Amino acid sequence: MSTTLPLFWHLSSASKKERLDASVKLISALEQFQSQKTQPGDESNDDEDEEEEESDNTPNTQDGLDALNAQDVAYSVRRLIRGLASPRESSRLGFAVALTELLSRLDTITTSQILNLILDCTKVQGSMNGQEERDVLFARLFGILSVVQSGLAFRAESSSKQPSASSIFSTEAYEQIMGSLVTLGDQKSWLRESSWFAIHQSIDALQGSNVPWKEAGFETAVQELFVKNSTWSTEKLALALKLQNLHPNMDWQAILTPTFKNADILSSGNLAIVSRILKDSATDEDGAKDPSKAPSGGWKPQLNFSWDIILAQLLPDPNLKKAAKGSFQDFYRIAVDESLFSSTSSANRKYWGFQAFQKALKRVDMETMPMLFTKNFMRTWINHLSKKDRYLHKVAIQTATEVQTFVTDKHELGFSLILQLTGVNGSQQFDKLTKTKTVESILSRLDLKGITEYVDYLLARVDPNDGDSFDVGSVNSRRAWIIEQLTGLVRNHKVPKEDSWIRKILDWLTVHGLFEVKKKSSKSPFVALRTPPRPVFSDDLRQSCRDKLLVCLADLSHQVVNVGEGDSAQKIPAVASDGEFWISKVLSVIQQLEADDKHVALLADAGEEEITRRKSALKITAEVAKTKSESYKGVELLVLGTLLHHYCQAESEEDSGDDALQTCIDGASRFNRQENDNKGKKNNEAKDEQLEPIDLFVDVIIGFLEKGTAYLRTVGNQAFSLLSQSVKESTIELIVTQLERRDPSQLLEDEDEDEETGDDNASTSSRSDDEASGSNSGSEDESVADSNGAEEEADLELRNKIEEALRINGVEPATGETDSEEEVLMDDDQMMAIDEQLAQVFRSRANEKRSGQNVDVQRAATHFKNRVLDLVDTFLKKQPSNPFTPLLLLPLIDLLIGSGPDERQLADKTRGILRSRFGKVKDVPVPSNADQIIEIAKATHNYARKAKSADTLNILSLCGTYVTRVLLQVGGEDTIVELLKEDLVDFTSRKNSRLNGQFFVDFIKRHPAQMWTIRQHLLEITKSAVNAYRQSQVFQMLEQLLNLLPSFNPPNDQVKTFMIDLRKTLLDLAQAACAGTANLSTPQIKELLKLALLGVRQTGRIDNMSTEAVWLPDRWRSLQDDFKTSTRTKSSPVLNKLCERIAHMRPDTNTKSNKSTKSSKRKAEETAREDDATAAGKQKRKKAKVTA
């Protein structure tokens, strides 16, 4: 027993792994002890056993366990049963598992023995307190559950070792189990569910066994559960359904009477009673107490296990091919919707309702799924989703997550689910009301079939059903919602895209946005023409259709599609799967509808000039579309996009963009002729001085960027991306002009001039900044009224200031509160004083207004420059080797340096472009004008000398490196050398120089060959450095340059000559430091000697025989003697060792050993310092304790 006692302790561990390990070890040891037990058939020990039985009258032997079990086994069984009542940690779990496993392996113990032992050890005593009584009751429950789960009571055959086999498998033990569990559940309501769960497991175990008393056992269960026990609970209801399913031939009508009307518990007549039982309500229909209902215990958030049994009857697993029992629709409506989700139901019951919904959702199919979304449930769900402070908000969110997961597993039910959320019991604005993205998320999980069905469903709901009365307002509201849903489908990038349903949406928006349906056309390919709208679309809805059409096209223009197959596949934006622009498809629909004047008519009448312009645009795009180059594609997209915008704005009073369209037509015509002339190599000497076609296009695109519409900006950016290969120098100048910094007052004056021009032309309509608003510009009186309403607060402040100025001069302003009609007379001085003060008030007001306008104009200009930077970034990304690319460098640097504190986003974007498009570019262009590149290089280096921050200098270093690479393409080495010399002079001669050593080191790393050309200048400039720090930084540059010698391999003669000059410079400087004439510190002298060692190494690399002739070892030995005698350096042995290594011309000798020695010394010193610090800390802590 000494080997098993320690294992009991670990059965109570909080760790599941430790409990299981202890259980395994305990059961293994007990099995070994039991196998060594002497069996009753052994004659040698019969007399001794009898004597022991007669003499042993202790309580432990009264249970009979010692007769056939080893001493350790009998002790362990008793110990495990007693341990079930222990409140320590997880002892109940550990002891129950061990007891269950032990009983499943022993065949020398009877069910009656164990049950009697459990019941005897778990008796409730009158002296027990509440906690002790609770522990004892749980011990009884776990003990009986161990007997059931171990299978001890359901063994089909007895062992030959058991003398009383006939009594083991009798129904008395099973009846004892049932009676004990029912009594336990009735004794404490909070134990009822657990007790009946054990009953449920015992019935399953009996059903799965082959005992001869199986039928008698079921009759015993029915007798104990339904005859002797007359109260009904949720658990009893579930077990009644289970037993009916297992034994349908029993007289259930007699058993269930009088509680239920008929034997089918889930029939419609019994559902009201079932609802009250499931709700744990102890009252009847009239509100009176019903004695047949079990009293409810404390509320628990977990739904009762009985719901799983009930739902399995109503919604069986389709794989089991089992017929459903009862009507799920009626059950869910009565027991859940009208009970748990009723308006008078408590939050606790509604919480159960949400859990019942989640359980049922996992079982439903296409037919039963709509039955879940009942009226009361949807109302409760939406209410608790809408606000975070609602009591059931978390479980409502959890339900929404379950719904989304449900669609992920069952795509085919997604469309039906959306119909429920947006249907009668739900709301069309479900996502808006609940502040979630439930519908949007479900849409993203639908397959193509589901999306197509949803689009057809939306289009079918545009008009009310034939013969139904309708309210115009409600119909328009539903149509507005449909427009939003169709737009959302196109814009949702997670929704699987297919040309068929996208075209269906675009065609529908085009018909109702631009045309009026006059007559039904049943055979029309357009859905909108097959049924004329009833009632007709309002102007607001038509404007919304136009706006959303442009929004959809803008979003589709961002999406990239693979066109072609195999190696010829290309990723092209703004096109359908067949390679045609979406805008082109929409314009084709417009052309077809214009030709069908019998059924539709354009909403906006077009004049002859406008019709001619549209035809010209279509004609030129047809010509341009014949060529497949990117530039022609860009021209086509720009013209088509402008033409469609012209159509959409023709109905409103806004500027329809006639000038932009005409400019695009002219530019496309000239571009086509120009390209054809270039192909034919014709002489263009007689060409006029008109703008380049590409400049016309870019000018239109820049105009689009000024607009507040996403459609125009998207079309402009995509068209420019395709046109980027045709950019000219004049185009770059046009773009750069937009990035120039202008005074806000000048911008405001330009706006005022534009407004005055607009006032002179009263017939000219103004364009709204917000395309989606669709509001038309009103009359002047309406504008004044709106302005007065917006500035009411400012006018009140102005009035108060004027009244205060009058009071100061003794004049009381008229307020209407007095009837005095006396006129206040003032002399000239008073009038002049009042005039001066009133002028001051008006001047202050004018300045405030002007300041506010300046801020708004500056903000608008910043946003515009951000959009222009998108064009710049697109060009640099698409055309890194374009010869005009360097022309953008200086404007971007100007923009970066000149950005104010309120333009941080603009500066960050510019910095990112400079770093990624110039600093990391692999290929550089070959410019056609070398003088321009030289000027750019000079300006870049001038900016670097004036850089205000290290970050800016780092960007300028990258730009300088880029310009250097470009200059090398055109033979600009001399310019590079001169600029480097000027930078070095600025760096070494000025203490306040903005340049730093890293600026030159970066240049050396990227262009060591160019730095080698000024090697002598580097040596000479060290002599004129402003201080020792700048001097040492120049030597660091030389060290970096010498390290890179193998990368560009200069001639050996140059290297030797430079090494001689370097040796002279280093020796002179070191000797001057010893003499005190040079202000160098010991670390700086050390760096000089390291540079000399590097020079020795590089000299030996090219010509080992000439190393001594170049570096003169005797001179370095003499320097070593000077170090030993100098008062400044004699205390530094490192300098002597370095000089010795140089003199021996062995820079690499003992390098590794020296490093390892230094490393070991350094580690020893660090360890010693740490030990000292630790000891000091301990002493401080001891002192603190003593003081305390």
Side-chain angles (χ1 to χ4, degrees), residues 127-356:
S127 59
M128 290 182 176
N129 58 29
Q131 180 62 39
E132 292 173 345
E133 182 182 358
R134 178 178 178 274
D135 292 336
V136 167
L137 293 177
F138 269 117
R140 177 171 295 186
L141 174 63
F142 274 75
I144 297 175
L145 196 57
S146 295
V147 173
V148 172
Q149 292 182 343
S150 66
L152 178 62
F154 308 102
R155 290 177 182 169
E157 296 179 357
S158 64
S159 172
S160 60
K161 302 175 184 178
Q162 182 54 257
S164 55
S166 60
S167 62
I168 297 177
F169 306 102
S170 62
T171 58
E172 286 80 2
Y174 190 70
E175 182 179 358
Q176 191 177 11
I177 292 175
M178 286 291 178
S180 299
L181 290 174
V182 172
T183 303
L184 191 61
D186 293 340
Q187 190 173 358
K188 297 293 182 181
S189 58
W190 42 268
L191 270 177
R192 187 181 64 211
E193 182 179 352
S194 301
S195 300
W196 283 79
F197 178 75
I199 295 173
H200 165 69
Q201 287 202 333
S202 68
I203 291 176
D204 284 341
L206 180 60
Q207 176 65 21
S209 67
N210 295 321
V211 294
W213 49 271
K214 185 174 183 179
E215 294 298 327
F218 279 114
E219 293 177 359
T220 300
V222 172
Q223 188 73 15
E224 290 289 334
L225 299 179
F226 301 102
V227 177
K228 295 182 180 180
N229 183 20
S230 60
T231 58
W232 281 86
S233 62
T234 304
E235 299 83 8
K236 184 175 179 178
L237 177 67
L239 285 175
L241 290 172
K242 187 177 188 65
L243 288 172
Q244 275 188 335
N245 188 44
L246 296 176
H247 286 273
N249 297 327
M250 286 188 180
D251 188 6
W252 287 105
Q253 180 67 43
I255 295 173
L256 299 178
T257 306
T259 304
F260 295 96
K261 297 179 181 180
N262 54 64
D264 186 3
I265 297 178
L266 296 178
S267 63
S268 300
N270 292 331
L271 288 179
I273 302 173
V274 171
S275 173
R276 290 198 300 274
I277 294 175
L278 292 176
K279 196 177 179 181
D280 271 357
S281 175
T283 59
D284 56 15
E285 297 178 353
D286 300 327
K289 185 175 179 60
D290 189 350
S292 64
K293 306 298 186 299
S296 60
W299 179 82
K300 294 188 301 183
Q302 296 83 11
L303 199 62
N304 197 293
F305 76 92
S306 305
W307 282 87
D308 293 322
I309 300 175
I310 297 172
L311 291 175
Q313 300 283 334
L314 294 165
L315 300 170
D317 189 345
N319 296 326
L320 300 178
K321 298 181 180 179
K322 183 179 178 181
K325 191 174 183 180
S327 171
F328 173 73
Q329 182 176 11
D330 293 340
F331 168 81
Y332 190 82
R333 175 178 56 83
I334 297 174
V336 179
D337 191 61
E338 296 177 357
S339 176
L340 299 180
F341 285 115
S342 67
S343 57
T344 58
S345 184
S346 64
N348 295 343
R349 298 295 185 268
K350 290 178 180 177
Y351 187 88
W352 279 353
F354 280 118
Q355 288 192 322

Side-chain angles (χ1 to χ4, degrees), residues 16 41 73 84 181 215 233 338 420 532 537 565 574 599 636 655 737 816 893 901-902 912 955 981 999 1007 1152 1154:
K16 180 180 178 181
V73 175
L84 296 175
L181 290 174
E215 294 298 327
S233 62
E338 296 177 357
Q420 300 304 318
F537 274 58
E565 297 180 356
H599 299 96
E636 180 185 2
D655 178 20
T737 304
I893 295 176
D902 56 340
I955 295 296
K981 289 182 178 179
F999 177 83
H1007 304 286
K1152 294 183 179 179
N1154 290 337

Side-chain angles (χ1 to χ4, degrees), residues 470-612:
F470 57 85
D471 177 61
V472 176
S474 62
V475 172
N476 288 339
S477 177
R478 184 171 68 248
R479 288 173 175 174
W481 172 76
I482 291 173
I483 294 173
E484 291 291 340
Q485 290 295 304
L486 294 175
T487 306
L489 285 175
V490 177
R491 302 192 67 186
N492 192 337
H493 297 280
K494 296 181 180 179
V495 172
K497 298 294 188 296
E498 190 178 50
D499 290 358
S500 58
W501 66 263
I502 295 177
R503 286 207 61 175
K504 192 177 295 185
I505 292 176
L506 296 179
D507 293 349
W508 187 87
L509 293 174
T510 301
V511 172
H512 291 297
L514 299 176
F515 294 88
E516 178 184 4
V517 180
K518 298 188 298 183
K519 187 178 179 181
K520 176 181 178 180
S521 178
S522 302
K523 298 181 180 180
S524 175
F526 306 111
V527 178
L529 296 185
R530 298 172 188 171
T531 305
R534 184 178 63 91
V536 297
F537 274 58
S538 64
D539 292 340
D540 291 339
L541 287 176
R542 285 170 173 164
Q543 181 64 43
S544 179
C545 288
R546 293 192 292 270
D547 294 341
K548 297 304 181 184
L549 174 64
L550 297 181
V551 168
C552 291
L553 290 172
D555 203 86
L556 289 172
S557 297
H558 284 296
Q559 299 177 13
V560 179
V561 179
N562 288 323
V563 179
E565 297 180 356
D567 298 336
S568 60
Q570 294 180 339
K571 292 185 177 181
I572 305 177
V575 299
S577 58
D578 58 355
E580 184 182 3
F581 287 115
W582 283 111
I583 297 177
S584 177
K585 290 182 179 295
V586 173
L587 287 171
S588 299
V589 172
I590 294 176
Q591 288 180 272
Q592 295 180 42
L593 294 173
E594 283 181 327
D596 188 11
D597 55 359
K598 178 180 179 181
H599 299 96
V600 294
L602 270 172
L603 293 174
D605 295 332
E608 293 184 1
E609 182 180 355
E610 188 173 352
I611 293 175
T612 303

